[in-house]
Structure formats: structure tokens, C-alpha cells
Amino acid sequence: MNFRFGLSALLVASAALPAFGLAGEPSQTSARHVLNFDDVELSSLIADVSIVTGYTFIVHPDVRGKRVTVTSSSPLTTDGVFDVFLSTLRVHGFTAVPAGKGTYRIIPEQSAVSEAGTRSSGANSFVTEIIHLNNFNALEAAQMVKPLVDAQGQVIANPRSNTLVIVDYGSNIPRIRQLVAGIDEDKTRTETVSLRNIPSSEMESILMALQGRGSDDSYASNFQAIASQTGNSIVIRGDDLMVERAMKVVQQLDSTDRVEDTLRVISLKNADAADIVPILEKVAGAMAFRRGEAGGEITPSTIAFHAPTNSLVINAPGETLLTLERVIQDLDKRRAQVLVEAIIVEMSDDTARELGLQFLLSGTGNSSVPFVTTNYSRSAPNLLALAGALSGDTPFNSGDSNPFASAAVTSLLGLSGISAGVGGQDGDTLFGAILTAVENDTNSRVLSKPFNMTLDNGTSSLLVGQEVPIITGTVLGADNTNPYQTVDRKEIGVRLDVTPRISSDDAVRLEINQEVSSIAGAISTATSDLVFNKRQITTDVLADSGEIVVVGGLIQQSDTIANEKVPILGDVPIAGRLFRSEGKATKRTNLMVFIRPTVIRDRQSARDATSRSYRFVRAEELWNDKGSNVNSLDAFVSEVLGAPPPQ
């Protein structure tokens, strides 16, 4: 019979075996099952095991969202399936507690006294592997395998089914599977040797090189040497004679404590040697302190770096040297990069309305006609300037100076909207009136997209703008001799400073300083001091890779109402409009800043990001140069860089 389960999980039943049973629990049909659960919900695994075993499980809410991967290389009995199930629960922080006939409660292990102290891996990157042993004892095999398992992994032996449940990174599972297969063979011996002076990886290379010689006096026979990834030890497997010979070589090589073995020159691939030296000095100092407390000899360590080659030069005792090498190996990893793209959107809407009436009545010469006029500061053209220019003795087109003419021209140049008026001169009486009406509506949108790429935990800064000189002081000597000014320069434009930090699930924490600045103009005509517009955001945000998040923004609206009028007369109903000028202005501004981080972990991702930006620029060039068949950007890259353009 076959059972097909949720997602990609598959449980296949085959030949019969005795049933598994506990007191008061249902008996199982004799069968063998192969487990192949690839990244499935833990709840799906529980449901499938319930079908196979016949047990009822009451599931805790915390089980939701947990995912597991469980595979077996050989068929398991129903009893074995249940044992593997219990081990899987334990690894992922849960346990099964009996709750009646054929019933179990699945609860977090911290809630069960019997499972106290067990730590869950809690990561989908771990793989659970079940290995059935035919000849070797599972408990003894677990002790041999433990040195090869990552510090975060687990090895659990099930004596009843003689199986090993191994939880480790998927990349390390083949090495462990190979070792267990060798252990389970007949007439083999396995030994684990701890090393003090020689790194385990180096010892593995030496032994395997000796094996490959192929002569009668060498290790061309059947043995394996596997270096531990978590500790400085090596596992040796083979027949008794070969294991004895290999262990003799290991012991003799590792007992050698020559002066030259305490000196290492290590070239770094990714990390900066100057940054690692302080860390290594602290580690070496702590180890020397512990040796001194234990009554041992305190041997000082010397750690230096060579900047031109980015190398470390270390002279330290053997044990300290091995520890420092492991620290360097962990720190000298390829760092991920983050492409940070910012989108700044600024939209504004300015509206203004103005309506006003100006009139003038004046006499000329010795006329007894009184002078009466209305004039408002925002009105253009200016009625007084026009009247003065028209009534003056100097005509507009003459070469003589006419101050009223200059004022009138300036007033006419400031005209906007529509103006209508009448005027004239009757004898010694001068009269005129101008009606002005204007409505203004201005919409604008400013878009900018600064972006930069930086290393994980690195800080990058991007500025697109100008440096504006600012006078900060003036010094005059006696009698105003030897004057000079001190000038500072202020950066104006779009600035993006960002420090990204990548978490294990590709979420990115961003420390952002985003600034957009510009020159508003001088404070007044009497001074050269400038006024600057500045919009700045300084914040920390958390975003997933490739996700667009809003960093900040400002929505602002300002309403301005300005009325100018003649006192008393301007308040008269209906007729009062002849004696006032009304204006209303509304300004709406919407400023938003968006950020999108993209994690770049490998060369291909970096190439894809580069190609995407390059294609955008090239497409714009082709669009704006429709009549040309020459792609100048591609030609420039090929000629200057001597490399093909990104594709």
C-alpha cells in the first residue's frame, strides 16, 4: 500500500515486520517505510505519522509555521518511523507527551520536564538524516560521529531501531554518511584523534597523500581520514593495521613542536588585516591568561600585519596558533553586499488668486483739484508710476533721465493676468483707474533616484550636487588695511549615507541619512548671506531584500489670505470692493522617500544588478538618439575599459 502526503512528502510501505506497540496503545501493521520529507510543514509531518502509526496527536499552536526536512536511506519499520518522528520533534524544540490510549500531546520541550535543557536548532538550513546501521552499535557510532557534526547540529542514537538521527547542514551530511557507512562495514576500526599542533585539515591532506602513493610501504590500503570541522581532531577508519600505522604517523607529526611551526604567514582574501589584528591579540591574550592561571608557561604571542599584501604574520604557541587560524578562517569570509536604491518624490501645487481696483484723481499745476488715489503693494502695473510717467515733461523716448518712466516700465514688466483701465487729462485734472485680476496654478514634480552599493556592515556615501562658498568671517587691519575673508564650503544637492546590516533571513537593517538641499536665495539685497532649503531624514529601518519600504515623508499645506483696503470705505457692502484688493494663495507640498535594499551574495547577483542599471542607461541613450545607429555608451566602455559592456 502507498500513502501520498502533503507538499513533496512521500511515505512508501513495503515488506512486513512485527508491529510496534506500547501498553494500551494500538498495534501497528507490519510494514517498512521510506521517509522523504523535503521542507514540509511540521504539521503535515504530524498528520502523516498519525496515518501510519494510528496515533492521535493534539498539536500545540506553536507548531504552525515550523518546517522540517527528513529523509531515510533505507526502509524503516513503523516503530522506527515513530522513533524518528520523536527525534525530529525534539530537534525542532517539541516533544510528544502521552495523553491517554493512543493519544499524544505535541508541546514545546521547555514545557516538558523530561526534555528540559534540550536546545532546538530552529533553522530550515538544517537537514535531518536517518541512517540505519546493520553491523555497528548506534550508541558507539554516535560518539564517533559527534566530532564531525557542526556545533549547532545534533546526533541522536535510537538503540531500539539501531538508527542514527543526524541534524546538520546539508553540505556536511555526505561526509557523515560516508563515515557511518565505513563504520558499519565489517572488519573496520575507527579512531578519533585530537590534535594540538597541526591543523586537522592539514593532517587530513597528509594522510590522504600518503594513501595515494600506491607502494607496499605506504597507505595505499583501505583507510579514510576525515578532518573535523568544529574541533581540531581527525577521524581515522580502516582495518587494524592501517589505523595503527596512520595513528603512529599522526602522533609523531603532532608531537613535533618546532620553532618554525609556531610561525604563520596567512594571506587574507576578503577581510582587512588591520581590522583583524586587534581581535586576534585579544584572543591570544585570553588564552595566555588561562594558561597562567592553570600554572602553565606564559609564552607571549606576536601578531602583525603587512598592508601591501593584506597578510597576517603570527608567532604564537601551537595551541594558540591553531585557535587563531580557526578564528581567521571564520572572519575571512566573502562578505555580502547590499544595493541600496532610494526614490525621492516631491510634488507641489501652488494656486493664487488676486482681484483689485486702483484709481487716481489729481490736479496739475495750480489746479485746486484734490489728490486722491488708491494703491496696493501687490498690484501691477502701478497706477502712480504710470501717471507720473505720462504727466512728466520728459517723454518716454527721450534720452534724458525720467525716474517715473523707469518705474513705469518696471511696473509693466511685472504685469500678470489681465488688467483693464481708463485714464486721461481734462485741463488741469488728471484721472485714471485700473482693474487687475490674476489666477495662478503651478504644478511640479521632482523625482530623484540615488543608489549605491556597499559591503555588509560597511558605510557608503553618495553626493550629487555642488559646494557653495559661505563667508564665515571678515578681518580688517588698522585703517582698513590688509582685509581678508574666511570662507567655508557647504555641500548642496542630494546626499545618501547608508550602513546596511544583513541578518540570517536576508532582512536588512539600514542606518540611513538622506538629505536634499538647495539654495533658496539671499536673505536680502543688502547682504550676500544665503538661505538654504533642506529636507533631511535620519533613521533606522528594517526591510527584506528586494522590498520597497517608505522611510519618511512630509505632507504640508499652507493657505495665505492677504487683503488690502481703504479704512472704512473698504468695508462698505458692494461699493467697498472699489476700495480694496483681495488675494488668496494655497501651497501644497508632498515629499516622500522610499528605500529598496537588495542583498548581493555572489558574482552572478552582482552582474545582474550591474546589467540592469546599464541597460536602463543604454535604453535612454538609444531613445534620445533615434537617428543614430552608433551606440556611443557601448563604444566608450569598450574603448576605455577594454572590456565588453554589461549584457
Side-chain angles (χ1 to χ4, degrees), residues 264 266 268 271-286 301-307 310-315 324 327-328 331-332:
R264 292 287 190 276
I266 303 174
L268 302 181
D272 191 345
D275 296 335
I276 293 182
V277 168
I279 301 174
L280 300 180
E281 290 177 342
K282 291 182 179 180
V283 174
S301 301
T302 303
I303 304 173
F305 70 93
H306 186 239
N310 196 36
S311 301
L312 294 169
V313 182
I314 305 174
N315 188 8
L324 296 181
V327 173
I328 294 171
L331 295 179
D332 192 31

Side-chain angles (χ1 to χ4, degrees), residues 15-70:
L17 282 181
F20 169 76
L22 295 175
E25 295 178 349
S27 64
Q28 314 297 328
T29 56
S30 301
R32 285 186 177 271
H33 310 275
V34 176
L35 300 179
N36 185 16
F37 292 83
D38 184 14
D39 192 27
V40 303
E41 291 279 352
L42 180 55
S43 56
S44 299
L45 175 62
I46 295 173
D48 297 342
V49 173
S50 177
I51 296 174
V52 174
T53 62
Y55 300 144
T56 300
F57 299 105
I58 303 173
V59 182
H60 193 275
D62 290 349
V63 171
R64 291 194 298 267
K66 300 290 185 180
R67 306 188 72 84
V68 297
T69 298
V70 183

Side-chain angles (χ1 to χ4, degrees), residues 145 159 205 271 335 453 481 503 534 616:
V145 170
S205 301
R335 293 168 61 184
M453 184 176 296
T481 60
S503 63
K534 185 176 180 180
F616 177 78

Side-chain angles (χ1 to χ4, degrees), residues 110-253:
Q110 58 265 28
S111 303
V113 178
S114 61
E115 300 292 332
T118 302
R119 184 164 59 92
S120 171
S121 64
N124 290 332
S125 58
F126 284 95
V127 175
T128 303
E129 179 83 4
I130 303 99
I131 303 177
H132 180 76
L133 301 176
N134 297 315
N135 304 295
F136 207 80
N137 184 272
L139 293 174
E140 297 180 8
Q143 298 299 321
M144 297 178 180
V145 170
K146 280 184 179 180
L148 299 182
V149 178
D150 189 86
Q152 302 297 323
Q154 291 189 18
V155 179
I156 301 173
N158 292 318
R160 182 167 51 188
S161 58
N162 201 35
T163 57
L164 291 177
V165 179
I166 302 171
V167 181
D168 202 352
Y169 288 104
S171 58
N172 200 32
I173 290 296
R175 292 165 53 90
I176 299 174
R177 190 186 298 118
Q178 181 183 9
L179 175 62
V180 174
I183 294 174
D184 198 37
E185 293 180 359
D186 293 332
K187 299 180 180 181
T188 58
R189 175 183 172 187
T190 304
E191 295 287 346
T192 302
V193 183
S194 298
L195 304 175
R196 294 192 308 165
N197 301 309
I198 298 180
S200 59
S201 58
E202 182 178 339
M203 184 64 73
E204 178 185 10
S205 301
I206 293 174
L207 295 178
M208 298 310 295
L210 292 175
Q211 182 190 28
R213 287 184 180 180
S215 63
D216 295 337
D217 296 332
S218 68
Y219 297 87
S221 305
N222 56 339
F223 84 91
Q224 288 183 322
I226 303 176
S228 172
Q229 294 183 337
T230 58
N232 195 41
S233 60
I234 188 167
V235 179
I236 303 173
R237 185 191 64 82
D239 57 40
D240 287 338
L241 178 59
M242 296 299 105
V243 171
E244 286 292 339
R245 296 178 68 181
M247 289 184 63
K248 185 177 181 180
V249 173
V250 170
Q251 292 170 359
Q252 290 180 351
L253 292 177

Side-chain angles (χ1 to χ4, degrees), residues 337-466:
Q337 302 179 93
V338 180
L339 174 64
V340 181
E341 301 169 281
I343 302 176
I344 305 170
V345 183
E346 184 175 3
M347 295 177 290
S348 65
D349 182 12
D350 297 337
T351 60
R353 297 181 178 89
E354 185 176 344
L355 177 64
L357 176 67
Q358 307 174 70
F359 64 85
L360 170 71
L361 178 65
S362 175
T364 60
N366 297 322
S367 175
S368 60
V369 178
F371 176 77
V372 180
T373 186
T374 59
N375 185 261
Y376 307 107
S377 60
R378 296 175 290 107
S379 298
N382 188 282
L383 182 59
L384 290 177
L386 294 176
L390 294 174
S391 64
D393 295 332
T394 304
F396 271 104
N397 58 356
S398 69
D400 300 330
S401 175
N402 187 351
F404 293 105
S406 178
V409 171
T410 303
S411 177
L412 290 172
L413 292 176
L415 174 65
S416 60
I418 185 173
S419 296
V422 296
Q425 185 174 357
D426 185 9
D428 293 336
T429 303
L430 185 67
F431 63 93
I434 296 179
L435 177 65
T436 303
V438 61
E439 181 174 351
N440 185 25
D441 191 354
T442 303
N443 294 303
S444 64
R445 184 178 68 173
V446 180
L447 299 176
S448 57
K449 181 193 172 186
F451 65 94
N452 54 11
M453 184 176 296
T454 181
L455 290 173
D456 181 27
N457 292 307
T459 300
S460 67
S461 180
L462 174 68
L463 173 65
V464 181
Q466 297 176 319

